[in-house]
Amino acid sequence: MIKLDNVKKYFRQNTMFGTAANIVKAVDGVSFSVDKGKTFGLVGESGCGKTTLSKLITGLIEPDSGSVKVSGDVDMVFQDPFSSLNPRMTIEEIIAEPLLVRGIKRSAALTKVAETLNMVKLGRRSVLKGYPHQFSGGERQRIAIARAIIRRPAVLILDEPVSSLDVSIQASILNLLKDIQEELALTYIFISHDLRVVEFMSDIIGVMKDGTLIEIASCDDIYSSPKHEYTRRLISAIPTI
Amino acid sequence: MYNILDVTDLTISIGGRKVVDNVGFSVPQGGVLALVGESGSGKTMTAMAILKLLPPAAKIEKGKIIFRGENILEKKERDMRGIRGRRIGMVFQEPFTALNPVMRASDQIAETLIAHGICKKQDLNARVNDLLGMVKLPIEVRGKYPHELSGGMRQRVMLAIALSCDPEFLILDEPTTALDVMLQKHILDTIKHIQRERRITTLFITHDLSVVNMLADNVCVMRNGLVVESGSRLDVLKSPQKKYTQHLISCIPVLGDKRRRLPVEI
């Protein structure tokens, strides 16, 4: 479904006066593949290149070298449901927009909106005419998910989708994402700095550091026998009760 | 042991709705109390009441906040200015919005020292350097603006400001929520080290029970303005008595557990 082969993306970091450029190797030779209906979890610290990698998969940016192959449409859900939804649009408009811009008739789009809101458990009618500020963080993330799946994409990239939520809301969103994945046979790229959340969601986990995947393993292996020293550090940083 | 802070029957309402309802807790000298709750639990309102920084719409219905034997709620704004930042240090969640974007880190740290008049001009530089060392920031950070610093470094600058006047009491409101797990551990380790060494009495506010283990002695779990359960860290985390506390613990994914779904409703 998704296949990355030795993908590289470097950025030039200029100083204020455009001199003495620094090269930032945001993604530096990453290869992995994900089968249909599976979840690839990507874990790493801030600045390790996770988000650049997700943009490469979406096609928002082009790789400098290497190849990114994705069969089917890709959509995304971002971390912050406060800034990712247009505050001046109603929920109905927000969710219908990806269909309308592709020339789908309004009536057909609205039917799909109602159907999709049901899938994210926000089926009550009052939701449609509401504005983002009227909803809680968890509800807003459900709205963002509805918008992301309205076109019925093949792949969904989830970039820290629960990082700004309370733990119990986080739990309900994670469960919902699993339900939707099963219902729509979606392939997920699930990105987070929190290995607990990544492990819960994923079939395979890639640990990213300084632009490279230093370890790719199944959930069981990464926890019981982490190969890389960095993975062990990541595990030991996790707060436990 | 002598309590630095005693909150009793604190009730705060906004527009007739109680957002903090008969809340009471104590923090003994040198101790760390974690106030744990989800959005809307009233934990931040409680902290704001301690600083007398409640929004204008919030009304204190009743209760006492005794800090070092004096009721904060009876203090005048003038007196509070000598308490906030000086006797009570604060660290808030978002270090990007809490810092002034057009001031260098060193000036922001010095500002608090100057405002409270506790450091002579010729000693300012040395004091700022001391504080940077205390929060484990390199000396080069002095001349940097907030946008030039990473999230973790910004939060360390916040911590340096909070510690600048040698406060007796520290309020940490979700100090690591915006950070990744690695940075979270580093910052909490630094805080713990300083807290232990200087015996700073601390109120630690978080929504995540799993981070409580890294810092707190006692825990107070809040929900919808009410205290649901309180006790020692071990009692609350290892053998929680209340359903809500049990739920807050069980809905956090644990490494190596084989659950397919997380519990959501209680």
Side-chain angles (χ1 to χ4, degrees), chain B residues 1-21:
Chain B
M1 211 186 310
Y2 177 67
N3 286 337
I4 294 279
L5 186 78
D6 270 307
V7 175
T8 43
D9 303 331
L10 184 66
T11 302
I12 304 170
S13 68
I14 294 181
R17 200 172 65 88
K18 284 180 185 167
V19 292
V20 174
D21 195 353

Side-chain angles (χ1 to χ4, degrees), chain B residues 32 46 51 64 81 83 114 139 164 176 181 187 213 215 217 229 263:
Chain B
V32 181
T46 305
L51 294 162
K64 280 183 193 159
R81 266 179 244 160
I83 293 176
I114 297 166
I139 215 79
S164 61
T176 59
V181 284
I187 297 267
N213 214 6
L215 203 62
D217 306 313
E229 180 164 6

Side-chain angles (χ1 to χ4, degrees), chain A residues 45-46 165-168 171-172 175 178-179 193 196 199-200 220 223 230 235-241, chain B residues 38-39 180-182 184-185 207 210 213 237-238 247 251-256 258-262 264:
Chain A
E45 287 175 80
S46 322
L165 304 175
D166 280 335
V167 285
S168 69
S172 68
N175 287 342
K178 283 199 167 184
D179 293 343
H193 66 272
R196 292 172 297 184
E199 196 216 24
F200 177 74
D220 290 341
Y223 177 60
Y230 178 75
I235 291 172
S236 70
I238 292 171
T240 48
I241 288 177
Chain B
E38 302 196 281
S39 314
D180 68 45
V181 284
M182 212 73 136
Q184 168 168 286
K185 182 170 182 344
H207 73 276
S210 66
N213 214 6
L237 295 185
K238 297 293 180 197
H247 171 69
C251 67
I252 302 170
V254 180
L255 267 191
K258 297 279 178 268
R259 287 183 293 178
R260 288 288 304 150
R261 297 183 73 79
L262 297 166
V264 285

Side-chain angles (χ1 to χ4, degrees), chain B residues 95-248:
Chain B
F96 205 57
T97 48
L99 291 173
N100 186 336
V102 296
M103 271 175 94
R104 293 177 199 275
S106 56
D107 294 336
Q108 311 213 27
I109 299 170
E111 191 184 29
T112 319
L113 292 165
I114 297 166
H116 292 292
I118 59 160
C119 188
K120 286 195 195 112
K121 210 164 188 176
Q122 62 264 33
D123 302 331
L124 265 180
N125 257 334
R127 177 71 183 146
V128 170
N129 289 350
D130 279 355
L131 287 161
L132 289 176
M134 200 189 293
V135 299
K136 299 197 169 64
L137 276 173
I139 215 79
E140 298 84 72
V141 166
R142 287 188 62 106
K144 303 265 193 215
Y145 291 96
H147 77 272
E148 297 177 293
L149 302 171
S150 67
M153 289 169 118
R154 282 196 287 258
Q155 203 54 303
R156 284 174 195 270
V157 172
M158 277 299 295
L159 187 59
I161 295 171
L163 295 168
S164 61
C165 299
D166 246 330
E168 305 149 62
F169 193 76
L170 198 56
I171 295 180
L172 308 167
D173 190 357
E174 304 266 12
T176 59
T177 304
L179 305 175
D180 68 45
V181 284
M182 212 73 136
L183 285 171
Q184 168 168 286
K185 182 170 182 344
H186 293 158
I187 297 267
L188 289 178
D189 284 347
T190 305
I191 291 175
K192 192 169 165 179
H193 178 77
I194 297 168
Q195 192 275 329
R196 293 272 156 87
E197 200 175 74
R198 310 192 153 240
R199 290 186 51 78
I200 307 176
T201 314
T202 301
L203 184 67
F204 174 39
I205 297 171
T206 177
H207 73 276
D208 185 350
L209 263 174
S210 66
V211 304
V212 163
N213 214 6
M214 301 171 86
L215 203 62
D217 306 313
N218 292 303
V219 184
C220 190
V221 180
M222 288 182 72
R223 186 190 196 188
N224 299 331
L226 294 158
V227 173
V228 176
E229 180 164 6
S230 58
S232 76
R233 178 188 66 195
L234 275 181
D235 284 348
V236 175
L237 295 185
K238 297 293 180 197
S239 46
Q241 298 301 306
K242 294 286 156 44
K243 270 220 156 67
Y244 181 64
T245 315
Q246 292 163 2
H247 171 69
L248 276 186

Side-chain angles (χ1 to χ4, degrees), chain A residues 33-35 38-42 198 202-206 216-219:
Chain A
S33 54
V34 193
D35 294 337
K38 298 287 182 192
T39 301
F40 184 83
L42 199 56
V198 171
S202 311
D203 299 294
I204 306 165
I205 297 176
I216 298 179
S218 73
C219 283

